Amino acid sequence: MKNKILPFILLFLTTFVWGQKITFNIKYSEQLAVFVFIQNLSENYPENVFKTEFEKSKYNNETYKNLISKFDKLALDYSYQFEEFPYASKTPMQTRDILKKNLIETENLNDFKLRSVGIVPNNVLNDLTLYISKLTPIYRELIYQPNKEKFEQQLKEITDYSDQHQIQSYFETGLTFYNSSWDQSIPFEIAFYPLPNSDYFTAQAFYNNFISAIQTNLRDYKDLFSVMLHETYHIIYNEQSLEVKTQIDESFKKSRSKYSNYAYLLLNEVLATALGNGYVYENLNGKPETNSWYFHQYIDLMARKIYPLVKEYIAEKKSIDKRFVDQYINLYETNFPNWINDPENIMTYRYVISENEQDFSTLRKKFRYRSIEENDTEISVSSLIKMKKMPLTKVIIVSENNQEKLSIIKKEFSELKNWKSTPDKEFVYKILLEDKSQLIIINQKNSTLEKLLESLK
């Protein structure tokens, strides 16, 4: 893509009635914009345009810095899993996203508070509403008013572009391809807000919402809408029925290819990229995007390989099926046979057990891009049983009581029955398990974890 795009990890949806049009409501949400503004002022956030404008303003004082600190400490993040669905096929419910949804869909903070009762504790909700209220005038002065004229013109142009190009039709195309559903009485709410002095836009989708901060000099909207559709395709994928998700899961699980598991883990992003950055962009632009479709090379390359098959299914109004899955796995295996041994690829989806919590940070520094990460701090029979149920790369770091811990590990993994470990020596051992995930055992004695990871091939 020509624009620099901040990735978000994102998604959700419900009964589409054929012949009915889905409504796309494009708007500006001040409440959401202020919420995002405060988030970006946090000490935990990297440097950004909002923080720059705030820090050079008269409001950069102890009163407001204390308020921002209090906002940062609010307990806003709770979640629950949809346990009956195949692992990682459906995004967990996230309370922060529900709060953002309610900010978009209410007209004032009192209505937001009433709608959000029960999502987080009431004292937290009251504080959140108070902080948004106090920072709203500052946001208006520093961000919105200086960019108001340009942004409002952009909003009009974006709305016209959406209407002229019938953007909702691409949403309907996705419903057919994914064999998913949507209740046409539920509008899709699209909220934009200005991102001054920037050369990128942001994108996130969840439930029936898409949100984006757009740079004030943006004038070519095909990139924006192809990315918007990319994110909404995650929603459509997420809202496949249990039956559809189970069928897809079984197609991957029953494949004889040793590549099927890692191909499956890549599927969600690959399809969203092929559809959004491939199909939608090509239709809006008149020709395919020649630059990178996605910032992560594995997703980008695989999306391009699967794109002709995706276009075939769209042209024939066919839904993803076993034939599609089999061809997808074959393309992965034929074109990228080394990927299941490539650390940068397999560590994108990882379950790590280490009794040294610092190891998790070390791994994040070494392998920064991650789609799924699970961590545990106990090497025990129960933790290994839990690990074995996950189709992720399994990393076990042993740094204490090495002989005892390695013995426990060997007993729990049948694939290790003939393995002869050397507890008194350092090593990094890797083996492909029967579930087609990689098991990596790191036996640490004197070297740092960083040094041992260098030998991972």
Side-chain angles (χ1 to χ4, degrees):
M1 304 298 295
K2 293 182 179 65
N3 287 283
K4 297 178 183 176
I5 301 162
L6 293 182
F8 288 84
I9 297 206
L10 350 113
L11 301 22
F12 291 55
L13 303 168
T14 143
T15 20
F16 179 63
V17 181
W18 293 105
Q20 301 283 350
K21 290 293 183 183
I22 295 167
T23 302
F24 275 26
N25 291 331
I26 296 175
K27 63 191 290 188
Y28 164 62
S29 170
E30 181 178 71
Q31 295 181 155
L32 172 72
V34 176
F35 178 86
V36 175
F37 174 66
I38 306 172
Q39 280 188 144
N40 278 269
L41 299 183
S42 165
E43 290 184 0
N44 298 322
Y45 267 60
E47 292 304 310
N48 58 77
V49 295
F50 297 126
K51 189 178 286 190
T52 299
E53 293 301 316
F54 177 81
E55 288 179 349
K56 67 183 183 183
S57 76
K58 63 184 178 183
Y59 302 107
N60 185 19
N61 55 48
E62 289 306 311
T63 298
Y64 287 106
K65 286 195 286 187
N66 184 51
L67 188 150
I68 294 163
S69 179
K70 288 180 178 179
F71 173 92
D72 201 34
K73 293 181 175 64
L74 289 177
L76 301 178
D77 297 296
Y78 300 88
S79 67
Y80 65 76
Q81 300 282 344
F82 296 88
E83 300 288 352
E84 71 274 26
F85 284 81
Y87 180 78
S89 70
K90 191 167 178 67
T91 304
M93 184 284 300
Q94 305 285 351
T95 52
R96 187 177 291 258
D97 286 342
I98 294 178
L99 292 171
K100 286 190 286 189
K101 169 185 171 62
N102 290 348
L103 286 167
I104 294 168
E105 297 181 1
T106 56
E107 295 301 321
N108 56 67
L109 289 174
N110 188 58
D111 286 347
F112 162 73
K113 189 189 299 185
L114 290 173
R115 182 179 290 193
S116 302
V117 168
I119 296 173
V120 293
N122 280 352
N123 66 310
V124 174
L125 182 60
N126 289 336
D127 288 344
L128 172 62
T129 307
L130 175 65
Y131 301 155
I132 293 174
S133 175
K134 286 185 175 295
L135 268 295
T136 295
I138 297 172
Y139 173 80
R140 289 174 182 166
E141 180 180 333
L142 299 182
I143 305 299
Y144 193 79
Q145 287 300 327
N147 300 284
K148 181 176 185 291
E149 184 177 350
K150 286 184 178 179
F151 174 72
E152 290 183 354
Q153 178 63 29
Q154 283 181 310
L155 205 59
K156 181 182 182 302
E157 291 173 0
I158 288 169
T159 303
D160 291 343
Y161 189 96
S162 178
D163 292 340
Q164 292 165 7
H165 292 84
Q166 298 182 328
I167 294 299
Q168 73 275 9
S169 67
Y170 295 107
F171 188 96
E172 293 158 12
T173 296
L175 289 171
T176 301
F177 174 79
Y178 283 104
N179 193 13
S180 192
S181 57
W182 182 262
D183 185 338
Q184 57 85 27
S185 68
I186 301 174
F188 202 75
E189 303 288 350
I190 303 168
F192 293 104
Y193 51 96
L195 190 65
N197 305 317
S198 178
D199 58 357
Y200 61 80
F201 57 82
T202 70
Q204 182 185 12
F206 46 85
Y207 308 113
N208 64 320
N209 306 100
F210 171 78
I211 63 176
S212 175
I214 53 175
Q215 66 267 43
T216 50
N217 62 350
L218 182 66
R219 285 295 176 266
D220 186 349
Y221 301 118
K222 59 181 178 292
D223 284 340
L224 175 65
F225 277 97
S226 65
V227 172
M228 184 186 85
L229 269 299
H230 171 120
E231 298 302 338
T232 58
Y233 289 137
H234 285 308
I235 293 176
I236 296 173
Y237 174 82
N238 193 65
E239 282 305 314
Q240 290 170 325
S241 68
L242 176 59
E243 179 183 9
V244 171
K245 285 196 177 296
T246 300
Q247 289 171 352
I248 293 172
D249 186 74
E250 288 178 351
S251 295
F252 278 96
K253 295 286 177 58
K254 291 179 179 179
S255 171
R256 295 181 179 180
S257 172
K258 68 179 183 179
Y259 300 87
S260 61
N261 180 56
Y262 285 103
Y264 189 16
L265 290 169
L266 204 63
L267 180 70
N268 189 359
E269 281 294 351
V270 164
L271 293 183
T273 302
L275 284 160
N277 309 83
Y279 179 77
V280 174
Y281 185 92
E282 181 176 355
N283 278 268
L284 295 178
N285 188 49
K287 58 183 179 181
E289 170 66 272
T290 55
N291 296 322
S292 175
W293 290 7
Y294 199 87
F295 68 96
H296 200 235
Q297 63 167 329
Y298 308 98
I299 294 165
D300 179 72
L301 293 172
M302 191 62 203
R304 292 174 185 271
K305 287 297 179 185
I306 199 67
Y307 185 45
L309 184 61
V310 169
K311 286 207 295 184
E312 173 194 321
Y313 269 63
I314 291 173
E316 297 178 6
K317 296 187 178 352
K318 293 171 60 177
S319 299
I320 183 172
D321 53 17
K322 185 179 184 302
R323 171 181 171 268
F324 183 94
V325 170
D326 289 343
Q327 291 195 46
Y328 170 79
I329 295 170
N330 182 62
L331 284 169
Y332 187 104
E333 178 174 349
T334 303
N335 292 281
F336 311 111
N338 297 324
W339 280 6
I340 63 168
N341 291 303
D342 185 339
E344 288 291 341
N345 180 43
I346 64 176
M347 294 298 281
T348 301
Y349 322 90
R350 60 187 185 247
Y351 191 128
V352 182
I353 300 180
S354 174
E355 294 177 332
N356 179 3
E357 291 192 31
Q358 182 59 40
D359 289 346
F360 306 134
S361 297
T362 300
L363 280 165
R364 290 183 193 123
K365 290 177 182 177
K366 174 69 173 175
F367 303 104
R368 294 182 180 276
Y369 183 80
R370 59 192 187 278
S371 178
I372 305 173
E373 179 181 327
E374 304 264 4
N375 294 316
D376 202 325
T377 57
E378 181 182 48
I379 301 175
S380 65
V381 172
S382 60
S383 66
L384 293 173
I385 289 174
K386 181 181 177 183
M387 172 183 261
K388 287 193 296 182
K389 294 178 181 178
M390 307 293 185
L392 310 175
T393 299
K394 299 162 178 64
V395 182
I396 309 173
I397 303 167
V398 182
S399 56
E400 295 180 357
N401 302 319
N402 298 60
Q403 184 167 350
E404 175 192 348
K405 300 299 182 181
L406 290 171
S407 178
I408 294 172
I409 294 166
K410 182 175 181 177
K411 288 178 183 177
E412 282 305 313
F413 288 92
S414 59
E415 296 90 345
L416 298 177
K417 63 181 179 181
N418 296 321
W419 178 52
K420 292 181 173 55
S421 64
T422 53
D424 58 329
K425 295 181 180 179
E426 291 189 325
F427 62 80
V428 176
Y429 179 76
K430 178 165 65 70
I431 183 173
L432 189 68
L433 301 175
E434 290 180 7
D435 70 354
K436 303 165 189 173
S437 70
Q438 296 281 12
L439 169 64
I440 300 169
I441 304 171
I442 299 175
N443 195 49
Q444 183 181 21
K445 301 293 284 185
N446 300 313
S447 299
T448 64
L449 179 58
E450 291 93 336
K451 181 67 175 177
L452 291 170
L453 288 172
E454 290 176 6
S455 66
L456 186 59
K457 302 294 184 183

